[in-house]
PDB file of all heavy atoms in Angstrom:
ATOM      1  N   ALA R 593      60.464  27.970  76.380  1.00 78.00           N
ATOM      2  CA  ALA R 593      59.972  29.355  76.264  1.00 78.00           C
ATOM      3  C   ALA R 593      60.955  30.192  75.446  1.00 78.00           C
ATOM      4  O   ALA R 593      60.557  31.018  74.610  1.00 78.00           O
ATOM      5  CB  ALA R 593      59.781  29.944  77.653  1.00 78.00           C
ATOM      6  N   HIS R 594      62.244  30.007  75.711  1.00 75.00           N
ATOM      7  CA  HIS R 594      63.254  30.732  74.957  1.00 75.00           C
ATOM      8  C   HIS R 594      63.177  30.365  73.467  1.00 75.00           C
ATOM      9  O   HIS R 594      63.291  31.231  72.583  1.00 75.00           O
ATOM     10  CB  HIS R 594      64.642  30.423  75.534  1.00 75.00           C
ATOM     11  CG  HIS R 594      65.749  31.099  74.768  1.00 75.00           C
ATOM     12  ND1 HIS R 594      65.971  32.452  74.838  1.00 75.00           N
ATOM     13  CD2 HIS R 594      66.690  30.597  73.918  1.00 75.00           C
ATOM     14  CE1 HIS R 594      66.991  32.772  74.080  1.00 75.00           C
ATOM     15  NE2 HIS R 594      67.451  31.655  73.513  1.00 75.00           N
ATOM     16  N   THR R 595      62.967  29.046  73.254  1.00 72.00           N
ATOM     17  CA  THR R 595      62.856  28.593  71.858  1.00 72.00           C
ATOM     18  C   THR R 595      61.639  29.199  71.178  1.00 72.00           C
ATOM     19  O   THR R 595      61.699  29.639  70.022  1.00 72.00           O
ATOM     20  CB  THR R 595      62.767  27.060  71.809  1.00 72.00           C
ATOM     21  OG1 THR R 595      63.946  26.511  72.424  1.00 72.00           O
ATOM     22  CG2 THR R 595      62.645  26.554  70.385  1.00 72.00           C
ATOM     23  N   ARG R 596      60.505  29.234  71.917  1.00 75.00           N
ATOM     24  CA  ARG R 596      59.298  29.824  71.330  1.00 75.00           C
ATOM     25  C   ARG R 596      59.502  31.312  71.011  1.00 75.00           C
ATOM     26  O   ARG R 596      59.054  31.810  69.987  1.00 75.00           O
ATOM     27  CB  ARG R 596      58.108  29.624  72.257  1.00 75.00           C
ATOM     28  CG  ARG R 596      57.572  28.204  72.258  1.00 75.00           C
ATOM     29  CD  ARG R 596      56.219  28.130  72.943  1.00 75.00           C
ATOM     30  NE  ARG R 596      56.324  28.459  74.362  1.00 75.00           N
ATOM     31  CZ  ARG R 596      56.585  27.542  75.311  1.00 75.00           C
ATOM     32  NH1 ARG R 596      56.761  26.268  74.975  1.00 75.00           N
ATOM     33  NH2 ARG R 596      56.648  27.884  76.585  1.00 75.00           N
ATOM     34  N   ALA R 597      60.175  32.003  71.930  1.00 81.00           N
ATOM     35  CA  ALA R 597      60.449  33.421  71.678  1.00 81.00           C
ATOM     36  C   ALA R 597      61.338  33.584  70.455  1.00 81.00           C
ATOM     37  O   ALA R 597      61.144  34.470  69.618  1.00 81.00           O
ATOM     38  CB  ALA R 597      61.086  34.052  72.910  1.00 81.00           C
ATOM     39  N   GLN R 598      62.330  32.666  70.380  1.00 75.00           N
ATOM     40  CA  GLN R 598      63.229  32.715  69.232  1.00 75.00           C
ATOM     41  C   GLN R 598      62.459  32.446  67.948  1.00 75.00           C
ATOM     42  O   GLN R 598      62.633  33.140  66.932  1.00 75.00           O
ATOM     43  CB  GLN R 598      64.331  31.657  69.410  1.00 75.00           C
ATOM     44  CG  GLN R 598      65.723  32.272  69.455  1.00 75.00           C
ATOM     45  CD  GLN R 598      66.791  31.188  69.517  1.00 75.00           C
ATOM     46  OE1 GLN R 598      66.564  30.094  70.040  1.00 75.00           O
ATOM     47  NE2 GLN R 598      67.934  31.509  69.015  1.00 75.00           N
ATOM     48  N   LEU R 599      61.595  31.404  68.039  1.00 76.00           N
ATOM     49  CA  LEU R 599      60.805  31.069  66.863  1.00 76.00           C
ATOM     50  C   LEU R 599      59.880  32.202  66.461  1.00 76.00           C
ATOM     51  O   LEU R 599      59.697  32.493  65.263  1.00 76.00           O
ATOM     52  CB  LEU R 599      59.990  29.797  67.117  1.00 76.00           C
ATOM     53  CG  LEU R 599      60.783  28.474  67.125  1.00 76.00           C
ATOM     54  CD1 LEU R 599      59.887  27.328  67.546  1.00 76.00           C
ATOM     55  CD2 LEU R 599      61.354  28.216  65.740  1.00 76.00           C
ATOM     56  N   ALA R 600      59.283  32.845  67.457  1.00 81.00           N
ATOM     57  CA  ALA R 600      58.395  33.972  67.144  1.00 81.00           C
ATOM     58  C   ALA R 600      59.163  35.086  66.463  1.00 81.00           C
ATOM     59  O   ALA R 600      58.717  35.679  65.470  1.00 81.00           O
ATOM     60  CB  ALA R 600      57.720  34.463  68.411  1.00 81.00           C
ATOM     61  N   GLY R 601      60.354  35.406  67.002  1.00 79.00           N
ATOM     62  CA  GLY R 601      61.164  36.451  66.373  1.00 79.00           C
ATOM     63  C   GLY R 601      61.575  36.102  64.959  1.00 79.00           C
ATOM     64  O   GLY R 601      61.503  36.933  64.028  1.00 79.00           O
ATOM     65  N   VAL R 602      61.997  34.832  64.791  1.00 76.00           N
ATOM     66  CA  VAL R 602      62.402  34.392  63.457  1.00 76.00           C
ATOM     67  C   VAL R 602      61.209  34.436  62.512  1.00 76.00           C
ATOM     68  O   VAL R 602      61.326  34.833  61.346  1.00 76.00           O
ATOM     69  CB  VAL R 602      63.011  32.984  63.541  1.00 76.00           C
ATOM     70  CG1 VAL R 602      63.181  32.396  62.137  1.00 76.00           C
ATOM     71  CG2 VAL R 602      64.354  33.038  64.257  1.00 76.00           C
ATOM     72  N   THR R 603      60.046  33.985  63.059  1.00 79.00           N
ATOM     73  CA  THR R 603      58.853  33.978  62.201  1.00 79.00           C
ATOM     74  C   THR R 603      58.526  35.377  61.701  1.00 79.00           C
ATOM     75  O   THR R 603      58.235  35.593  60.521  1.00 79.00           O
ATOM     76  CB  THR R 603      57.654  33.402  62.970  1.00 79.00           C
ATOM     77  OG1 THR R 603      57.970  32.061  63.372  1.00 79.00           O
ATOM     78  CG2 THR R 603      56.402  33.408  62.103  1.00 79.00           C
ATOM     79  N   TRP R 604      58.566  36.347  62.616  1.00 85.00           N
ATOM     80  CA  TRP R 604      58.276  37.718  62.202  1.00 85.00           C
ATOM     81  C   TRP R 604      59.331  38.237  61.234  1.00 85.00           C
ATOM     82  O   TRP R 604      58.998  38.929  60.266  1.00 85.00           O
ATOM     83  CB  TRP R 604      58.199  38.625  63.420  1.00 85.00           C
ATOM     84  CG  TRP R 604      56.895  38.496  64.150  1.00 85.00           C
ATOM     85  CD1 TRP R 604      56.659  37.924  65.360  1.00 85.00           C
ATOM     86  CD2 TRP R 604      55.635  38.981  63.670  1.00 85.00           C
ATOM     87  NE1 TRP R 604      55.342  37.985  65.690  1.00 85.00           N
ATOM     88  CE2 TRP R 604      54.659  38.637  64.655  1.00 85.00           C
ATOM     89  CE3 TRP R 604      55.207  39.639  62.529  1.00 85.00           C
ATOM     90  CZ2 TRP R 604      53.319  38.942  64.530  1.00 85.00           C
ATOM     91  CZ3 TRP R 604      53.865  39.951  62.393  1.00 85.00           C
ATOM     92  CH2 TRP R 604      52.935  39.608  63.369  1.00 85.00           C
ATOM     93  N   ARG R 605      60.597  37.908  61.540  1.00 83.00           N
ATOM     94  CA  ARG R 605      61.651  38.385  60.620  1.00 83.00           C
ATOM     95  C   ARG R 605      61.521  37.741  59.238  1.00 83.00           C
ATOM     96  O   ARG R 605      61.660  38.409  58.210  1.00 83.00           O
ATOM     97  CB  ARG R 605      63.035  38.096  61.220  1.00 83.00           C
ATOM     98  CG  ARG R 605      63.398  39.012  62.376  1.00 83.00           C
ATOM     99  CD  ARG R 605      64.872  38.891  62.722  1.00 83.00           C
ATOM    100  NE  ARG R 605      65.189  37.572  63.271  1.00 83.00           N
ATOM    101  CZ  ARG R 605      65.108  37.281  64.563  1.00 83.00           C
ATOM    102  NH1 ARG R 605      64.685  38.197  65.431  1.00 83.00           N
ATOM    103  NH2 ARG R 605      65.419  36.071  64.989  1.00 83.00           N
ATOM    104  N   VAL R 606      61.257  36.421  59.246  1.00 80.00           N
ATOM    105  CA  VAL R 606      61.076  35.752  57.947  1.00 80.00           C
ATOM    106  C   VAL R 606      59.858  36.284  57.216  1.00 80.00           C
ATOM    107  O   VAL R 606      59.883  36.544  56.015  1.00 80.00           O
ATOM    108  CB  VAL R 606      60.963  34.227  58.164  1.00 80.00           C
ATOM    109  CG1 VAL R 606      60.540  33.540  56.861  1.00 80.00           C
ATOM    110  CG2 VAL R 606      62.289  33.652  58.634  1.00 80.00           C
ATOM    111  N   ALA R 607      58.756  36.464  57.989  1.00 84.00           N
ATOM    112  CA  ALA R 607      57.539  36.994  57.364  1.00 84.00           C
ATOM    113  C   ALA R 607      57.772  38.388  56.797  1.00 84.00           C
ATOM    114  O   ALA R 607      57.345  38.712  55.674  1.00 84.00           O
ATOM    115  CB  ALA R 607      56.391  37.003  58.377  1.00 84.00           C
ATOM    116  N   GLY R 608      58.456  39.216  57.586  1.00 88.00           N
ATOM    117  CA  GLY R 608      58.738  40.568  57.088  1.00 88.00           C
ATOM    118  C   GLY R 608      59.651  40.534  55.872  1.00 88.00           C
ATOM    119  O   GLY R 608      59.444  41.271  54.892  1.00 88.00           O
ATOM    120  N   GLY R 609      60.691  39.683  55.956  1.00 86.00           N
ATOM    121  CA  GLY R 609      61.592  39.578  54.804  1.00 86.00           C
ATOM    122  C   GLY R 609      60.885  39.056  53.566  1.00 86.00           C
ATOM    123  O   GLY R 609      61.085  39.566  52.461  1.00 86.00           O
ATOM    124  N   LEU R 610      60.033  38.024  53.801  1.00 86.00           N
ATOM    125  CA  LEU R 610      59.291  37.498  52.659  1.00 86.00           C
ATOM    126  C   LEU R 610      58.321  38.518  52.111  1.00 86.00           C
ATOM    127  O   LEU R 610      58.133  38.635  50.886  1.00 86.00           O
ATOM    128  CB  LEU R 610      58.537  36.231  53.075  1.00 86.00           C
ATOM    129  CG  LEU R 610      59.401  34.991  53.338  1.00 86.00           C
ATOM    130  CD1 LEU R 610      58.530  33.844  53.825  1.00 86.00           C
ATOM    131  CD2 LEU R 610      60.173  34.585  52.093  1.00 86.00           C
ATOM    132  N   ALA R 611      57.670  39.263  52.992  1.00 90.00           N
ATOM    133  CA  ALA R 611      56.743  40.291  52.524  1.00 90.00           C
ATOM    134  C   ALA R 611      57.479  41.339  51.697  1.00 90.00           C
ATOM    135  O   ALA R 611      57.019  41.769  50.630  1.00 90.00           O
ATOM    136  CB  ALA R 611      56.044  40.952  53.715  1.00 90.00           C
ATOM    137  N   ALA R 612      58.666  41.755  52.215  1.00 92.00           N
ATOM    138  CA  ALA R 612      59.473  42.714  51.450  1.00 92.00           C
ATOM    139  C   ALA R 612      59.918  42.125  50.122  1.00 92.00           C
ATOM    140  O   ALA R 612      59.885  42.787  49.076  1.00 92.00           O
ATOM    141  CB  ALA R 612      60.682  43.159  52.273  1.00 92.00           C
ATOM    142  N   LEU R 613      60.310  40.816  50.179  1.00 90.00           N
ATOM    143  CA  LEU R 613      60.737  40.155  48.953  1.00 90.00           C
ATOM    144  C   LEU R 613      59.574  40.078  47.967  1.00 90.00           C
ATOM    145  O   LEU R 613      59.730  40.352  46.766  1.00 90.00           O
ATOM    146  CB  LEU R 613      61.251  38.755  49.283  1.00 90.00           C
ATOM    147  CG  LEU R 613      61.648  37.875  48.087  1.00 90.00           C
ATOM    148  CD1 LEU R 613      62.790  38.505  47.316  1.00 90.00           C
ATOM    149  CD2 LEU R 613      62.005  36.470  48.547  1.00 90.00           C
ATOM    150  N   TYR R 614      58.393  39.673  48.490  1.00 91.00           N
ATOM    151  CA  TYR R 614      57.227  39.595  47.615  1.00 91.00           C
ATOM    152  C   TYR R 614      56.874  40.954  47.019  1.00 91.00           C
ATOM    153  O   TYR R 614      56.481  41.059  45.858  1.00 91.00           O
ATOM    154  CB  TYR R 614      56.025  39.050  48.386  1.00 91.00           C
ATOM    155  CG  TYR R 614      56.183  37.613  48.830  1.00 91.00           C
ATOM    156  CD1 TYR R 614      55.472  37.108  49.909  1.00 91.00           C
ATOM    157  CD2 TYR R 614      57.060  36.757  48.163  1.00 91.00           C
ATOM    158  CE1 TYR R 614      55.610  35.795  50.319  1.00 91.00           C
ATOM    159  CE2 TYR R 614      57.203  35.441  48.581  1.00 91.00           C
ATOM    160  CZ  TYR R 614      56.496  34.959  49.657  1.00 91.00           C
ATOM    161  OH  TYR R 614      56.624  33.676  50.052  1.00 91.00           O
ATOM    162  N   LEU R 615      57.032  41.998  47.839  1.00 94.00           N
ATOM    163  CA  LEU R 615      56.740  43.346  47.336  1.00 94.00           C
ATOM    164  C   LEU R 615      57.700  43.714  46.219  1.00 94.00           C
ATOM    165  O   LEU R 615      57.300  44.233  45.168  1.00 94.00           O
ATOM    166  CB  LEU R 615      56.828  44.348  48.487  1.00 94.00           C
ATOM    167  CG  LEU R 615      56.594  45.818  48.107  1.00 94.00           C
ATOM    168  CD1 LEU R 615      55.195  45.991  47.512  1.00 94.00           C
ATOM    169  CD2 LEU R 615      56.783  46.720  49.312  1.00 94.00           C
ATOM    170  N   VAL R 616      58.990  43.439  46.450  1.00 95.00           N
ATOM    171  CA  VAL R 616      59.994  43.736  45.415  1.00 95.00           C
ATOM    172  C   VAL R 616      59.714  42.912  44.165  1.00 95.00           C
ATOM    173  O   VAL R 616      59.754  43.418  43.035  1.00 95.00           O
ATOM    174  CB  VAL R 616      61.404  43.464  45.957  1.00 95.00           C
ATOM    175  CG1 VAL R 616      62.430  43.572  44.824  1.00 95.00           C
ATOM    176  CG2 VAL R 616      61.749  44.445  47.063  1.00 95.00           C
ATOM    177  N   LEU R 617      59.418  41.598  44.384  1.00 94.00           N
ATOM    178  CA  LEU R 617      59.129  40.748  43.227  1.00 94.00           C
ATOM    179  C   LEU R 617      57.877  41.206  42.502  1.00 94.00           C
ATOM    180  O   LEU R 617      57.799  41.170  41.278  1.00 94.00           O
ATOM    181  CB  LEU R 617      58.962  39.301  43.691  1.00 94.00           C
ATOM    182  CG  LEU R 617      60.234  38.593  44.172  1.00 94.00           C
ATOM    183  CD1 LEU R 617      59.902  37.189  44.660  1.00 94.00           C
ATOM    184  CD2 LEU R 617      61.276  38.527  43.056  1.00 94.00           C
ATOM    185  N   ALA R 618      56.876  41.623  43.297  1.00 94.00           N
ATOM    186  CA  ALA R 618      55.649  42.113  42.667  1.00 94.00           C
ATOM    187  C   ALA R 618      55.921  43.368  41.845  1.00 94.00           C
ATOM    188  O   ALA R 618      55.414  43.516  40.729  1.00 94.00           O
ATOM    189  CB  ALA R 618      54.601  42.401  43.741  1.00 94.00           C
ATOM    190  N   LEU R 619      56.745  44.279  42.410  1.00 94.00           N
ATOM    191  CA  LEU R 619      57.104  45.484  41.658  1.00 94.00           C
ATOM    192  C   LEU R 619      57.884  45.122  40.393  1.00 94.00           C
ATOM    193  O   LEU R 619      57.643  45.673  39.311  1.00 94.00           O
ATOM    194  CB  LEU R 619      57.925  46.429  42.531  1.00 94.00           C
ATOM    195  CG  LEU R 619      57.153  47.108  43.680  1.00 94.00           C
ATOM    196  CD1 LEU R 619      58.108  47.885  44.569  1.00 94.00           C
ATOM    197  CD2 LEU R 619      56.070  48.025  43.132  1.00 94.00           C
ATOM    198  N   LEU R 620      58.831  44.191  40.560  1.00 95.00           N
ATOM    199  CA  LEU R 620      59.600  43.770  39.394  1.00 95.00           C
ATOM    200  C   LEU R 620      58.703  43.103  38.353  1.00 95.00           C
ATOM    201  O   LEU R 620      58.818  43.354  37.147  1.00 95.00           O
ATOM    202  CB  LEU R 620      60.709  42.790  39.816  1.00 95.00           C
ATOM    203  CG  LEU R 620      61.900  43.384  40.559  1.00 95.00           C
ATOM    204  CD1 LEU R 620      62.828  42.284  41.032  1.00 95.00           C
ATOM    205  CD2 LEU R 620      62.675  44.348  39.656  1.00 95.00           C
ATOM    206  N   ALA R 621      57.802  42.250  38.827  1.00 94.00           N
ATOM    207  CA  ALA R 621      56.887  41.576  37.903  1.00 94.00           C
ATOM    208  C   ALA R 621      55.982  42.588  37.210  1.00 94.00           C
ATOM    209  O   ALA R 621      55.736  42.491  35.988  1.00 94.00           O
ATOM    210  CB  ALA R 621      56.052  40.538  38.654  1.00 94.00           C
ATOM    211  N   TRP R 622      55.477  43.554  37.981  1.00 94.00           N
ATOM    212  CA  TRP R 622      54.610  44.581  37.390  1.00 94.00           C
ATOM    213  C   TRP R 622      55.373  45.397  36.357  1.00 94.00           C
ATOM    214  O   TRP R 622      54.891  45.629  35.241  1.00 94.00           O
ATOM    215  CB  TRP R 622      54.069  45.486  38.491  1.00 94.00           C
ATOM    216  CG  TRP R 622      53.354  46.699  37.962  1.00 94.00           C
ATOM    217  CD1 TRP R 622      52.082  46.755  37.473  1.00 94.00           C
ATOM    218  CD2 TRP R 622      53.888  48.020  37.845  1.00 94.00           C
ATOM    219  NE1 TRP R 622      51.780  48.032  37.065  1.00 94.00           N
ATOM    220  CE2 TRP R 622      52.870  48.833  37.273  1.00 94.00           C
ATOM    221  CE3 TRP R 622      55.121  48.589  38.160  1.00 94.00           C
ATOM    222  CZ2 TRP R 622      53.076  50.177  37.033  1.00 94.00           C
ATOM    223  CZ3 TRP R 622      55.308  49.933  37.912  1.00 94.00           C
ATOM    224  CH2 TRP R 622      54.300  50.713  37.352  1.00 94.00           C
ATOM    225  N   TRP R 623      56.595  45.816  36.724  1.00 94.00           N
ATOM    226  CA  TRP R 623      57.389  46.630  35.796  1.00 94.00           C
ATOM    227  C   TRP R 623      57.752  45.819  34.553  1.00 94.00           C
ATOM    228  O   TRP R 623      57.672  46.312  33.429  1.00 94.00           O
ATOM    229  CB  TRP R 623      58.648  47.111  36.515  1.00 94.00           C
ATOM    230  CG  TRP R 623      59.540  47.950  35.633  1.00 94.00           C
ATOM    231  CD1 TRP R 623      59.431  49.278  35.374  1.00 94.00           C
ATOM    232  CD2 TRP R 623      60.675  47.496  34.884  1.00 94.00           C
ATOM    233  NE1 TRP R 623      60.415  49.683  34.514  1.00 94.00           N
ATOM    234  CE2 TRP R 623      61.192  48.605  34.203  1.00 94.00           C
ATOM    235  CE3 TRP R 623      61.292  46.257  34.747  1.00 94.00           C
ATOM    236  CZ2 TRP R 623      62.305  48.509  33.381  1.00 94.00           C
ATOM    237  CZ3 TRP R 623      62.391  46.160  33.918  1.00 94.00           C
ATOM    238  CH2 TRP R 623      62.896  47.275  33.255  1.00 94.00           C
ATOM    239  N   THR R 624      58.162  44.556  34.772  1.00 93.00           N
ATOM    240  CA  THR R 624      58.542  43.712  33.641  1.00 93.00           C
ATOM    241  C   THR R 624      57.343  43.437  32.745  1.00 93.00           C
ATOM    242  O   THR R 624      57.435  43.517  31.512  1.00 93.00           O
ATOM    243  CB  THR R 624      59.131  42.384  34.148  1.00 93.00           C
ATOM    244  OG1 THR R 624      60.232  42.657  35.020  1.00 93.00           O
ATOM    245  CG2 THR R 624      59.601  41.521  32.984  1.00 93.00           C
ATOM    246  N   THR R 625      56.205  43.129  33.378  1.00 92.00           N
ATOM    247  CA  THR R 625      55.001  42.855  32.591  1.00 92.00           C
ATOM    248  C   THR R 625      54.575  44.075  31.796  1.00 92.00           C
ATOM    249  O   THR R 625      54.223  43.978  30.610  1.00 92.00           O
ATOM    250  CB  THR R 625      53.857  42.418  33.523  1.00 92.00           C
ATOM    251  OG1 THR R 625      54.271  41.263  34.251  1.00 92.00           O
ATOM    252  CG2 THR R 625      52.608  42.082  32.716  1.00 92.00           C
ATOM    253  N   ARG R 626      54.636  45.250  32.450  1.00 93.00           N
ATOM    254  CA  ARG R 626      54.271  46.466  31.737  1.00 93.00           C
ATOM    255  C   ARG R 626      55.234  46.736  30.584  1.00 93.00           C
ATOM    256  O   ARG R 626      54.822  47.100  29.468  1.00 93.00           O
ATOM    257  CB  ARG R 626      54.267  47.657  32.699  1.00 93.00           C
ATOM    258  CG  ARG R 626      53.712  48.932  32.069  1.00 93.00           C
ATOM    259  CD  ARG R 626      53.768  50.108  33.012  1.00 93.00           C
ATOM    260  NE  ARG R 626      55.140  50.485  33.358  1.00 93.00           N
ATOM    261  CZ  ARG R 626      55.470  51.630  33.941  1.00 93.00           C
ATOM    262  NH1 ARG R 626      54.535  52.466  34.296  1.00 93.00           N
ATOM    263  NH2 ARG R 626      56.721  51.896  34.226  1.00 93.00           N
ATOM    264  N   SER R 627      56.543  46.537  30.838  1.00 93.00           N
ATOM    265  CA  SER R 627      57.538  46.746  29.784  1.00 93.00           C
ATOM    266  C   SER R 627      57.328  45.780  28.631  1.00 93.00           C
ATOM    267  O   SER R 627      57.377  46.163  27.455  1.00 93.00           O
ATOM    268  CB  SER R 627      58.954  46.599  30.344  1.00 93.00           C
ATOM    269  OG  SER R 627      59.197  47.551  31.346  1.00 93.00           O
ATOM    270  N   LEU R 628      57.076  44.499  28.977  1.00 92.00           N
ATOM    271  CA  LEU R 628      56.854  43.511  27.929  1.00 92.00           C
ATOM    272  C   LEU R 628      55.561  43.813  27.170  1.00 92.00           C
ATOM    273  O   LEU R 628      55.500  43.638  25.948  1.00 92.00           O
ATOM    274  CB  LEU R 628      56.783  42.111  28.537  1.00 92.00           C
ATOM    275  CG  LEU R 628      58.106  41.546  29.071  1.00 92.00           C
ATOM    276  CD1 LEU R 628      57.865  40.210  29.742  1.00 92.00           C
ATOM    277  CD2 LEU R 628      59.114  41.384  27.944  1.00 92.00           C
ATOM    278  N   SER R 629      54.533  44.273  27.895  1.00 91.00           N
ATOM    279  CA  SER R 629      53.283  44.611  27.223  1.00 91.00           C
ATOM    280  C   SER R 629      53.480  45.783  26.273  1.00 91.00           C
ATOM    281  O   SER R 629      52.975  45.773  25.138  1.00 91.00           O
ATOM    282  CB  SER R 629      52.200  44.944  28.266  1.00 91.00           C
ATOM    283  OG  SER R 629      51.946  43.850  29.099  1.00 91.00           O
ATOM    284  N   ARG R 630      54.219  46.786  26.754  1.00 91.00           N
ATOM    285  CA  ARG R 630      54.478  47.945  25.884  1.00 91.00           C
ATOM    286  C   ARG R 630      55.321  47.530  24.681  1.00 91.00           C
ATOM    287  O   ARG R 630      55.080  47.965  23.557  1.00 91.00           O
ATOM    288  CB  ARG R 630      55.197  49.043  26.672  1.00 91.00           C
ATOM    289  CG  ARG R 630      54.303  49.740  27.686  1.00 91.00           C
ATOM    290  CD  ARG R 630      55.070  50.819  28.432  1.00 91.00           C
ATOM    291  NE  ARG R 630      54.209  51.571  29.324  1.00 91.00           N
ATOM    292  CZ  ARG R 630      54.637  52.537  30.113  1.00 91.00           C
ATOM    293  NH1 ARG R 630      55.937  52.844  30.139  1.00 91.00           N
ATOM    294  NH2 ARG R 630      53.793  53.197  30.908  1.00 91.00           N
ATOM    295  N   TYR R 631      56.331  46.673  24.945  1.00 91.00           N
ATOM    296  CA  TYR R 631      57.165  46.210  23.838  1.00 91.00           C
ATOM    297  C   TYR R 631      56.339  45.416  22.832  1.00 91.00           C
ATOM    298  O   TYR R 631      56.470  45.606  21.616  1.00 91.00           O
ATOM    299  CB  TYR R 631      58.306  45.358  24.392  1.00 91.00           C
ATOM    300  CG  TYR R 631      59.184  44.743  23.332  1.00 91.00           C
ATOM    301  CD1 TYR R 631      60.135  45.499  22.667  1.00 91.00           C
ATOM    302  CD2 TYR R 631      59.040  43.406  22.978  1.00 91.00           C
ATOM    303  CE1 TYR R 631      60.927  44.949  21.694  1.00 91.00           C
ATOM    304  CE2 TYR R 631      59.830  42.833  22.005  1.00 91.00           C
ATOM    305  CZ  TYR R 631      60.781  43.612  21.365  1.00 91.00           C
ATOM    306  OH  TYR R 631      61.558  43.045  20.390  1.00 91.00           O
ATOM    307  N   ALA R 632      55.482  44.521  23.367  1.00 89.00           N
ATOM    308  CA  ALA R 632      54.633  43.735  22.470  1.00 89.00           C
ATOM    309  C   ALA R 632      53.683  44.642  21.687  1.00 89.00           C
ATOM    310  O   ALA R 632      53.449  44.419  20.492  1.00 89.00           O
ATOM    311  CB  ALA R 632      53.848  42.701  23.273  1.00 89.00           C
TER     312      ALA R 632
END
């Protein structure tokens, strides 16, 4: 039970971190793509 609780907490933390990372990467990709499109 302790392990499952730990796993659940880690899962949420990893999911949240990945979501934040994906959001940052998406923003970076959007900004980079827009900059490259404008440059092109």
Side-chain angles (χ1 to χ4, degrees):
H594 178 72
T595 301
R596 285 193 295 271
Q598 241 184 332
L599 286 173
V602 169
T603 301
W604 282 108
R605 286 193 293 272
V606 170
L610 289 177
L613 176 62
Y614 294 156
L615 178 60
V616 172
L617 290 177
L619 290 173
L620 287 174
W622 171 79
W623 180 83
T624 304
T625 303
R626 187 182 65 166
S627 299
L628 290 175
S629 299
R630 289 180 175 178
Y631 176 77

